[in-house]
Amino acid sequence: MKKRILIIEDDKDIVEAVRYNLEKERGFSVLSAKTGDEGLNLVPQMKPHLIILDIGLPGLTGYEVCRMLRRDAETQDIPIVMLTARGSESDKVLGLELGADDYITKPFGIRELIARVRAAIRRKEADSGTLEVFDDGKLYIHFEDYIIRFHGREPKLTFKEFSLLKLLVQNAGRVLSRDKILDAVWGYNYYSESRTVDVHIRRIRKKLGPGAQDYIDTVIGVGYRFKPQNPESQPSPVPSNSKSQATSRP
Ligand code: CA
């Protein structure tokens, strides 16, 4: 299922750059609105997975739109990434206090925006226990359909290996102890030892192949951690003359 992104922004160039780049990525469809009112009207029918919200809008400001979205039970959980031309700390703090999930200051790199959009959607899905897909362009996991693709290959994991990987991804960034992993994947009654976890981690890394070490960290003496890779650290394949950079107008 494609993730529906609503961008509320009056700068056409930014809207088109964001739309072009998000739709080029796998799994996004984008609708746009030029004003807060137009955006608020679109939300109930469109039910976006995330809203990219400019602060400087004609009519209602982004802050007001954010406040209204957060007041309504139907829309209060939709992740919001705010776009701000102002860099001052107090503007950012105000946005976050009003309930925005993240903000990004113009001018911004489009790859950074996409990374933030993905991260905000992932956090939301992990919080509500509905994480269906992990996808950062290199590693793709569909949790419902038990599909994994890594660097274009499809490693075959057993059910336990898959469950272990899912647990790590759902707790991305956190270190999970062997005991915690044993309890969650094998259950309290299962008689086993922490070596079981090590053996399964080793098999997962082997099946994923080169690059797996970057994602699954061994924290010596503690356990394991899933480490999502930052797309920003990869060289961008977008040629410099394309719309890879969205900038605010003077
Ligand atoms: Ca604007």
Side-chain angles (χ1 to χ4, degrees):
M1 186 183 58
K2 286 197 172 185
K3 300 293 179 202
R4 296 178 298 277
I5 309 294
L6 172 62
I7 174 165
I8 307 177
E9 161 67 274
D10 58 322
D11 184 325
K12 260 196 302 185
D13 291 344
I14 293 182
V15 171
E16 284 321 307
V18 169
R19 186 202 307 281
Y20 173 80
N21 284 283
L22 272 176
E23 290 190 340
K24 210 174 60 171
E25 299 279 313
R26 184 168 39 197
F28 292 105
S29 67
V30 179
L31 280 186
S32 64
K34 287 188 291 295
T35 66
D37 280 319
E38 201 184 306
L40 289 168
N41 284 335
L42 269 174
V43 169
Q45 329 149 21
M46 181 191 170
K47 297 194 182 9
H49 294 91
L50 179 137
I51 297 172
I52 300 171
L53 177 60
D54 185 32
I55 291 175
L57 292 168
L60 293 175
T61 67
Y63 292 133
E64 288 167 317
V65 174
C66 184
R67 198 179 289 129
M68 289 164 89
L69 288 167
R70 287 301 177 244
R71 254 191 227 142
D72 185 338
E74 294 284 301
T75 58
Q76 64 186 7
D77 292 330
I78 302 172
I80 297 174
V81 175
M82 277 196 162
L83 298 182
T84 170
R86 316 162 204 197
S88 96
E89 220 37 52
S90 59
D91 285 330
K92 294 171 184 171
V93 170
L94 179 58
L96 295 176
E97 273 176 359
L98 288 174
D101 295 81
D102 202 356
Y103 61 83
I104 191 162
T105 308
K106 300 176 187 174
F108 55 86
I110 200 80
R111 298 211 60 82
E112 189 188 353
L113 177 70
I114 292 173
R116 303 277 191 101
V117 164
R118 284 188 195 283
I121 291 177
R122 211 148 56 211
R123 277 197 302 272
K124 163 74 195 319
E125 289 178 337
D127 284 351
S128 53
T130 56
L131 185 66
E132 279 176 29
V133 172
F134 175 89
D135 185 6
D136 68 359
K138 282 184 287 184
L139 176 63
Y140 171 88
I141 308 173
H142 196 297
F143 293 104
E144 298 297 307
D145 295 347
Y146 295 90
I147 296 168
I148 297 186
R149 287 191 210 100
F150 189 53
H151 288 296
R153 289 173 299 106
E154 277 196 41
K156 299 274 174 270
L157 300 192
T158 65
F159 182 73
K160 286 292 182 209
E161 289 162 357
F162 194 91
S163 305
L164 171 45
L165 184 59
K166 180 177 178 179
L167 179 72
L168 289 173
V169 174
Q170 282 176 330
N171 290 280
R174 281 182 222 153
V175 183
L176 299 181
S177 69
R178 291 176 175 80
D179 283 348
K180 188 161 185 169
I181 295 173
L182 275 176
D183 287 346
V185 177
W186 280 269
Y188 285 97
N189 299 323
Y190 185 83
Y191 175 79
S192 84
E193 35 181 356
S194 48
R195 217 178 61 86
T196 309
V197 176
D198 300 337
V199 169
H200 278 76
I201 291 278
R202 204 178 311 139
R203 287 197 197 129
I204 294 170
R205 284 179 176 151
K206 196 168 172 205
K207 287 182 180 178
L208 290 179
Q213 293 282 357
D214 298 339
Y215 285 88
I216 305 170
D217 238 1
T218 305
V219 182
I220 293 168
V222 186
Y224 296 96
R225 170 174 52 197
F226 183 80
K227 221 172 40 171
Q229 299 301 294
N230 181 5
E232 282 293 283
S233 65
Q234 302 302 315
S236 169
V238 184
S240 57
N241 62 349
S242 77
K243 287 181 169 176
S244 60
Q245 198 79 5
T247 49
S248 58
R249 278 182 185 164

